[in-house]
mmCIF file with all atom_site columns, all heavy atoms in Angstrom:
data_model
loop_
_atom_site.group_PDB
_atom_site.id
_atom_site.type_symbol
_atom_site.label_atom_id
_atom_site.label_alt_id
_atom_site.label_comp_id
_atom_site.label_asym_id
_atom_site.label_entity_id
_atom_site.label_seq_id
_atom_site.pdbx_PDB_ins_code
_atom_site.Cartn_x
_atom_site.Cartn_y
_atom_site.Cartn_z
_atom_site.occupancy
_atom_site.B_iso_or_equiv
_atom_site.pdbx_formal_charge
_atom_site.auth_seq_id
_atom_site.auth_comp_id
_atom_site.auth_asym_id
_atom_site.auth_atom_id
_atom_site.pdbx_PDB_model_num
ATOM 1  N N   . ALA B 1 40  ? -27.371 -79.230 70.685 1.00 0.00 ? 40  ALA B N   1
ATOM 2  C CA  . ALA B 1 40  ? -26.342 -80.251 70.942 1.00 0.00 ? 40  ALA B CA  1
ATOM 3  C C   . ALA B 1 40  ? -24.950 -79.619 70.876 1.00 0.00 ? 40  ALA B C   1
ATOM 4  O O   . ALA B 1 40  ? -24.090 -79.895 71.723 1.00 0.00 ? 40  ALA B O   1
ATOM 5  C CB  . ALA B 1 40  ? -26.466 -81.384 69.918 1.00 0.00 ? 40  ALA B CB  1
ATOM 6  N N   . SER B 1 49  ? -18.311 -75.010 69.312 1.00 0.00 ? 49  SER B N   1
ATOM 7  C CA  . SER B 1 49  ? -19.445 -74.100 69.471 1.00 0.00 ? 49  SER B CA  1
ATOM 8  C C   . SER B 1 49  ? -19.952 -74.038 70.909 1.00 0.00 ? 49  SER B C   1
ATOM 9  O O   . SER B 1 49  ? -20.968 -73.400 71.173 1.00 0.00 ? 49  SER B O   1
ATOM 10 C CB  . SER B 1 49  ? -20.602 -74.556 68.568 1.00 0.00 ? 49  SER B CB  1
ATOM 11 O OG  . SER B 1 49  ? -20.182 -74.643 67.233 1.00 0.00 ? 49  SER B OG  1
ATOM 12 N N   . PRO B 1 54  ? -24.102 -69.494 81.677 1.00 0.00 ? 54  PRO B N   1
ATOM 13 C CA  . PRO B 1 54  ? -24.581 -68.111 81.871 1.00 0.00 ? 54  PRO B CA  1
ATOM 14 C C   . PRO B 1 54  ? -24.822 -67.370 80.543 1.00 0.00 ? 54  PRO B C   1
ATOM 15 O O   . PRO B 1 54  ? -25.558 -66.385 80.507 1.00 0.00 ? 54  PRO B O   1
ATOM 16 C CB  . PRO B 1 54  ? -23.442 -67.440 82.644 1.00 0.00 ? 54  PRO B CB  1
ATOM 17 C CG  . PRO B 1 54  ? -22.680 -68.548 83.276 1.00 0.00 ? 54  PRO B CG  1
ATOM 18 C CD  . PRO B 1 54  ? -22.799 -69.725 82.337 1.00 0.00 ? 54  PRO B CD  1
ATOM 19 N N   . PRO B 1 131 ? -50.395 -52.846 89.621 1.00 0.00 ? 131 PRO B N   1
ATOM 20 C CA  . PRO B 1 131 ? -49.958 -53.944 88.753 1.00 0.00 ? 131 PRO B CA  1
ATOM 21 C C   . PRO B 1 131 ? -50.601 -55.276 89.154 1.00 0.00 ? 131 PRO B C   1
ATOM 22 O O   . PRO B 1 131 ? -50.997 -56.053 88.277 1.00 0.00 ? 131 PRO B O   1
ATOM 23 C CB  . PRO B 1 131 ? -48.438 -53.983 88.967 1.00 0.00 ? 131 PRO B CB  1
ATOM 24 C CG  . PRO B 1 131 ? -48.068 -52.588 89.363 1.00 0.00 ? 131 PRO B CG  1
ATOM 25 C CD  . PRO B 1 131 ? -49.232 -52.091 90.166 1.00 0.00 ? 131 PRO B CD  1
ATOM 26 N N   . THR B 1 144 ? -60.813 -67.214 80.797 1.00 0.00 ? 144 THR B N   1
ATOM 27 C CA  . THR B 1 144 ? -62.256 -67.469 80.707 1.00 0.00 ? 144 THR B CA  1
ATOM 28 C C   . THR B 1 144 ? -62.890 -66.961 79.404 1.00 0.00 ? 144 THR B C   1
ATOM 29 O O   . THR B 1 144 ? -63.980 -67.397 79.048 1.00 0.00 ? 144 THR B O   1
ATOM 30 C CB  . THR B 1 144 ? -63.017 -66.801 81.877 1.00 0.00 ? 144 THR B CB  1
ATOM 31 O OG1 . THR B 1 144 ? -62.762 -65.397 81.841 1.00 0.00 ? 144 THR B OG1 1
ATOM 32 C CG2 . THR B 1 144 ? -62.582 -67.376 83.216 1.00 0.00 ? 144 THR B CG2 1
ATOM 33 N N   . GLU B 1 164 ? -42.908 -76.542 74.241 1.00 0.00 ? 164 GLU B N   1
ATOM 34 C CA  . GLU B 1 164 ? -41.922 -77.633 74.324 1.00 0.00 ? 164 GLU B CA  1
ATOM 35 C C   . GLU B 1 164 ? -40.509 -77.119 74.093 1.00 0.00 ? 164 GLU B C   1
ATOM 36 O O   . GLU B 1 164 ? -39.555 -77.541 74.775 1.00 0.00 ? 164 GLU B O   1
ATOM 37 C CB  . GLU B 1 164 ? -42.253 -78.719 73.285 1.00 0.00 ? 164 GLU B CB  1
ATOM 38 C CG  . GLU B 1 164 ? -43.533 -79.479 73.586 1.00 0.00 ? 164 GLU B CG  1
ATOM 39 C CD  . GLU B 1 164 ? -43.996 -80.342 72.415 1.00 0.00 ? 164 GLU B CD  1
ATOM 40 O OE1 . GLU B 1 164 ? -43.259 -80.448 71.410 1.00 0.00 ? 164 GLU B OE1 1
ATOM 41 O OE2 . GLU B 1 164 ? -45.105 -80.901 72.496 1.00 0.00 ? 164 GLU B OE2 1
ATOM 42 N N   . LEU B 1 226 ? -47.250 -44.632 77.783 1.00 0.00 ? 226 LEU B N   1
ATOM 43 C CA  . LEU B 1 226 ? -46.240 -45.694 77.714 1.00 0.00 ? 226 LEU B CA  1
ATOM 44 C C   . LEU B 1 226 ? -44.856 -45.105 77.961 1.00 0.00 ? 226 LEU B C   1
ATOM 45 O O   . LEU B 1 226 ? -44.503 -44.065 77.401 1.00 0.00 ? 226 LEU B O   1
ATOM 46 C CB  . LEU B 1 226 ? -46.273 -46.366 76.340 1.00 0.00 ? 226 LEU B CB  1
ATOM 47 C CG  . LEU B 1 226 ? -47.466 -47.283 76.079 1.00 0.00 ? 226 LEU B CG  1
ATOM 48 C CD1 . LEU B 1 226 ? -47.576 -47.600 74.592 1.00 0.00 ? 226 LEU B CD1 1
ATOM 49 C CD2 . LEU B 1 226 ? -47.347 -48.575 76.891 1.00 0.00 ? 226 LEU B CD2 1
ATOM 50 N N   . ALA B 1 250 ? -32.662 -66.413 69.213 1.00 0.00 ? 250 ALA B N   1
ATOM 51 C CA  . ALA B 1 250 ? -33.796 -65.489 69.139 1.00 0.00 ? 250 ALA B CA  1
ATOM 52 C C   . ALA B 1 250 ? -34.849 -66.032 68.197 1.00 0.00 ? 250 ALA B C   1
ATOM 53 O O   . ALA B 1 250 ? -34.533 -66.555 67.121 1.00 0.00 ? 250 ALA B O   1
ATOM 54 C CB  . ALA B 1 250 ? -33.342 -64.110 68.668 1.00 0.00 ? 250 ALA B CB  1
ATOM 55 N N   . TRP B 1 263 ? -29.555 -58.693 65.381 1.00 0.00 ? 263 TRP B N   1
ATOM 56 C CA  . TRP B 1 263 ? -28.546 -58.351 66.394 1.00 0.00 ? 263 TRP B CA  1
ATOM 57 C C   . TRP B 1 263 ? -28.049 -59.614 67.114 1.00 0.00 ? 263 TRP B C   1
ATOM 58 O O   . TRP B 1 263 ? -26.843 -59.801 67.310 1.00 0.00 ? 263 TRP B O   1
ATOM 59 C CB  . TRP B 1 263 ? -29.149 -57.355 67.390 1.00 0.00 ? 263 TRP B CB  1
ATOM 60 C CG  . TRP B 1 263 ? -28.272 -56.991 68.543 1.00 0.00 ? 263 TRP B CG  1
ATOM 61 C CD1 . TRP B 1 263 ? -27.077 -56.323 68.481 1.00 0.00 ? 263 TRP B CD1 1
ATOM 62 C CD2 . TRP B 1 263 ? -28.520 -57.255 69.934 1.00 0.00 ? 263 TRP B CD2 1
ATOM 63 N NE1 . TRP B 1 263 ? -26.570 -56.162 69.759 1.00 0.00 ? 263 TRP B NE1 1
ATOM 64 C CE2 . TRP B 1 263 ? -27.439 -56.715 70.659 1.00 0.00 ? 263 TRP B CE2 1
ATOM 65 C CE3 . TRP B 1 263 ? -29.562 -57.882 70.630 1.00 0.00 ? 263 TRP B CE3 1
ATOM 66 C CZ2 . TRP B 1 263 ? -27.363 -56.793 72.062 1.00 0.00 ? 263 TRP B CZ2 1
ATOM 67 C CZ3 . TRP B 1 263 ? -29.493 -57.952 72.014 1.00 0.00 ? 263 TRP B CZ3 1
ATOM 68 C CH2 . TRP B 1 263 ? -28.404 -57.417 72.717 1.00 0.00 ? 263 TRP B CH2 1
ATOM 69 N N   . ASP B 1 280 ? -50.461 -71.805 58.076 1.00 0.00 ? 280 ASP B N   1
ATOM 70 C CA  . ASP B 1 280 ? -51.470 -72.817 58.391 1.00 0.00 ? 280 ASP B CA  1
ATOM 71 C C   . ASP B 1 280 ? -52.888 -72.239 58.407 1.00 0.00 ? 280 ASP B C   1
ATOM 72 O O   . ASP B 1 280 ? -53.429 -71.903 59.457 1.00 0.00 ? 280 ASP B O   1
ATOM 73 C CB  . ASP B 1 280 ? -51.124 -73.434 59.749 1.00 0.00 ? 280 ASP B CB  1
ATOM 74 C CG  . ASP B 1 280 ? -51.829 -74.766 59.947 1.00 0.00 ? 280 ASP B CG  1
ATOM 75 O OD1 . ASP B 1 280 ? -52.957 -74.927 59.445 1.00 0.00 ? 280 ASP B OD1 1
ATOM 76 O OD2 . ASP B 1 280 ? -51.246 -75.630 60.604 1.00 0.00 ? 280 ASP B OD2 1
#
Side-chain angles (χ1 to χ4, degrees):
Chain B
S49 304
T144 59
E164 292 168 6
L226 287 166
W263 176 65
D280 198 327

